[in-house]
């Protein structure tokens, strides 16, 4: 029998030991964990302790409990949804990657301000006025949900009249309006994974312990000037992003870094 001697609540010690066994390959994906009785004997703990440890691992998404069969180690499934983060253009017509997604309801339009996160991306100080447009999008093939936000600085809207009148225009219309205003558009994007906030968990209908993929895309105009900011948030266990990568000239690379 193998007792455990680590700091922290006993059930967390058991969960950590099982988690390490999964990481080491002792419990491969798709295989059952030892029974409750076997875990009790192995770690020299009580039944409630084992059950609490299993519950903790289940909330982390490491195992699943199959009724009447026990606890099984989850595999690493291929995400069923691939989002191609590519914008195509034909003449004056732009086609963003989310064009085929449907809207769960009408977009929400509001006035907001830059924050310590959005301000630097738009090269604006904190507290600068913005139009915000929020949409809940649904992929017609998988039913996956995504949250899409467009932030338009008042200065951009003032210099692009169609945006001042209709900040909730479709993305392809926004890109066309910025191009008509004389901008040659380029884009830069940052991607990170994080745990969701409560409203994101509800809107995206996320299971417990599921991360979100959060992308921040800046549309740049003349002299690499930031014009608008887009945010996309999606289920991190359900979606994956794919990109087309091209070689930039050294001048372009310096502009992106700055």
């Amino acid at each position: 029998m193998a007792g455990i001697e680590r700091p922290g609540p006993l059930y967390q010690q058991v969960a950590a030991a099982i988690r390490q066994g999964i990481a080491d390959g002792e419990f491969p994906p798709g295989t059952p964990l030892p029974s409750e009785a076997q875990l009790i004997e192995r770690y020299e703990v009580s039944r409630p302790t084992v059950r609490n440890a299993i519950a903790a691992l289940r909330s982390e998404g490491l195992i699943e409990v199959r009724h009447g069969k026990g606890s099984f180690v989850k595999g690493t499934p291929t995400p069923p949804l691939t989002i191609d983060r590519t914008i195509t253009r034909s003449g004056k017509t732009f086609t963003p990657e989310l064009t085929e997604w449907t809207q769960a309801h009408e977009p929400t339009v509001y006035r907001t301000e830059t924050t310590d996160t959005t301000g630097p991306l738009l090269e604006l100080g904190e507290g600068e006025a913005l139009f915000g447009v929020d949409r809940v999008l649904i992929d017609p093939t998988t039913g996956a949900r995504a949250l899409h936000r467009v932030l338009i600085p008042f200065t951009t809207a003032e210099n692009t009249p169609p945006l001042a009148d209709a900040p909730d225009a479709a993305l392809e219309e926004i890109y066309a309006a910025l191009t008509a205003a004389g901008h040659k558009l380029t884009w830069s994007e940052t991607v990170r994974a994080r745990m969701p906030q409560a409203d994101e968990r509800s809107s995206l209908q996320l299971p417990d312990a599921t991360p979100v993929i959060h992308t921040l895309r800046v549309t740049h105009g003349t002299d690499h000037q930031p014009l608008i900011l887009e945010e996309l948030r999606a289920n991190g266990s359900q979606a994956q992003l794919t990109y087309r990568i091209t070689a930039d000239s050294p001048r372009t690379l310096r502009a992106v870094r700055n």
Side-chain angles (χ1 to χ4, degrees):
M1 294 184 292
I4 51 179
E5 297 181 0
R6 299 178 186 176
L10 195 54
Y11 83 90
Q12 290 185 0
Q13 297 178 43
V14 174
I18 297 173
R19 192 184 299 111
Q20 189 62 52
I22 294 172
D24 292 343
E26 181 182 358
F27 308 127
T31 61
L33 287 179
S35 67
E36 277 190 2
Q38 291 170 324
L39 292 173
I40 290 169
E41 181 178 359
R42 176 171 179 160
Y43 298 115
E44 301 177 358
V45 295
S46 67
R47 188 176 301 276
T49 297
V50 166
R51 289 183 174 177
N52 286 337
I54 295 298
L57 295 171
R58 183 181 181 185
S59 70
E60 294 174 17
L62 290 177
I63 66 170
E64 60 181 338
V65 178
R66 301 177 187 175
H67 184 67
K69 295 183 179 180
S71 300
F72 287 74
V73 180
K74 279 190 175 181
T76 306
T78 300
L81 173 64
T82 296
I83 304 175
D84 186 355
R85 300 294 285 165
T86 302
I87 299 169
T88 58
R89 178 179 180 180
S90 177
K92 296 182 179 180
T93 302
F94 291 87
T95 306
E97 63 278 81
L98 301 174
T99 302
E100 300 300 322
W101 290 49
T102 59
Q103 297 187 55
H105 45 71
E106 290 298 311
T108 302
V109 183
Y110 53 96
R111 295 192 177 194
T112 184
E113 297 178 344
T114 52
T115 65
D116 57 358
T117 299
T118 61
L121 291 169
L122 290 166
E123 297 183 6
L124 295 173
E126 191 171 345
E128 294 289 334
L130 306 169
F131 286 114
V133 183
D134 288 352
R135 291 178 172 89
V136 178
L137 303 178
I138 301 176
D139 176 51
T141 302
T142 64
R145 298 166 72 91
L147 304 179
H148 186 264
R149 172 173 293 162
V150 181
L151 296 175
I152 306 173
F154 276 20
T155 52
T156 298
E158 290 168 357
N159 294 324
T160 316
L163 301 188
D165 296 332
D168 59 342
L171 271 179
E172 54 267 33
E173 296 173 357
I174 292 177
Y175 295 157
L178 294 172
T179 301
H183 293 287
K184 182 178 179 181
L185 303 183
T186 58
W187 293 266
S188 61
E189 184 156 311
T190 302
V191 183
R192 68 187 179 108
R194 58 173 175 78
M195 297 309 295
Q197 298 174 357
D199 60 331
E200 294 170 329
R201 186 181 298 112
S202 174
S203 297
L204 292 172
Q205 301 177 354
L206 298 176
D208 290 342
T210 301
V212 294
I213 295 177
H214 187 177
T215 73
L216 295 160
R217 172 182 287 177
V218 179
T219 300
H220 303 272
T222 306
D223 297 327
H224 204 64
Q225 172 191 359
L227 298 174
I228 66 171
L229 173 63
E230 299 170 47
E231 295 185 54
L232 180 70
R233 290 160 287 169
N235 184 328
S237 68
Q238 189 179 42
Q240 61 186 5
L241 309 179
T242 181
Y243 293 83
R244 183 180 304 151
I245 299 173
T246 59
D248 291 324
S249 68
R251 178 176 296 178
T252 301
L253 288 174
R254 284 197 296 271
V256 170
R257 284 199 296 269
N258 292 336

